[in-house]
Amino acid sequence: MTKRTAHGTGARIIDSAGSLAAKADLKGRTQARAADLKDKAGALTVQLREGAARAGHQAQDRATKGGHTTQEQMARARHTLRERALRTGHAVQERAGRAGHLASDKAVEAGHAAEGRVPQSARRAVRGALRHARPVLVAGAALAVAGAVAVGALRRGRRH
């Protein structure tokens, strides 16, 4: 924009005049500076958005990986607990079976020991009751109800 002449001195003067004119154009310099700042702000905005998007994707990836890791750990823990529960259940079942057999054996022994002390007539009555269990149970239930009614009547009589 500066005009140059063949003389060296004249060229310096025109350059100096142009430079002074450019320095004096405050509005133009301000507008140019504002345009530069807008460009820089726009570039910075783009960089910040890209950085935020990248950080969001990284956070999402970490959360997804953390969720998968937690699911895997929970599945392993669930499996371990299930195995322990099964082992414990089997152990309890085995012990209960042994205790049941032991109790049954002792009951049989006690029955055999008591059988020798029971009179022959009572043994025949028990064998007959075992052959006809249902009628004996019905008769026993009827006697139990009658006994309960009698006890209730006696208690009511005492209160009055």
Side-chain angles (χ1 to χ4, degrees), residues 101-115:
H101 287 298
L102 183 63
S104 174
D105 291 346
K106 286 186 179 186
V108 167
E109 286 175 22
H112 288 305
E115 189 175 3

Side-chain angles (χ1 to χ4, degrees), residues 114-129 131:
E115 189 175 3
R117 293 186 300 243
V118 174
Q120 188 65 29
S121 60
R123 285 187 213 162
R124 273 183 278 182
V126 168
R127 281 191 209 116
R131 278 193 299 262

Side-chain angles (χ1 to χ4, degrees), residues 90-105:
H90 287 298
V92 168
Q93 187 177 17
E94 186 178 321
R95 287 179 187 162
R98 276 186 277 172
H101 287 298
L102 183 63
S104 174
D105 291 346

Side-chain angles (χ1 to χ4, degrees), residues 6-155:
H7 303 294
T9 312
R12 272 189 256 143
I13 292 175
I14 292 176
D15 285 340
S16 296
S19 141
L20 282 175
K23 285 182 183 178
D25 185 17
L26 189 58
K27 183 178 177 182
R29 282 191 354 218
T30 303
Q31 287 175 344
R33 178 74 176 142
D36 283 346
L37 289 175
K38 276 186 182 179
D39 289 344
K40 285 181 182 178
L44 186 59
T45 300
V46 169
Q47 287 176 350
L48 288 174
R49 283 184 183 159
E50 288 173 355
R54 222 174 308 133
H57 289 301
Q58 288 173 349
Q60 186 177 10
D61 289 345
R62 286 184 190 138
T64 301
K65 286 178 187 174
H68 289 157
T69 301
T70 302
Q71 283 178 337
E72 290 170 4
Q73 289 172 345
M74 293 301 290
R76 281 194 299 269
R78 197 171 41 247
H79 183 70
T80 301
L81 286 174
R82 191 175 295 138
E83 285 179 358
R84 286 182 185 170
L86 284 173
R87 281 194 304 262
T88 303
H90 287 298
V92 168
Q93 187 177 17
E94 186 178 321
R95 287 179 187 162
R98 276 186 277 172
H101 287 298
L102 183 63
S104 174
D105 291 346
K106 286 186 179 186
V108 167
E109 286 175 22
H112 288 305
E115 189 175 3
R117 293 186 300 243
V118 174
Q120 188 65 29
S121 60
R123 285 187 213 162
R124 273 183 278 182
V126 168
R127 281 191 209 116
L130 289 174
R131 278 193 299 262
H132 306 289
R134 186 172 288 160
V136 171
L137 287 174
V138 170
L143 285 173
V145 168
V149 168
V151 168
L154 286 174
R155 285 186 180 169

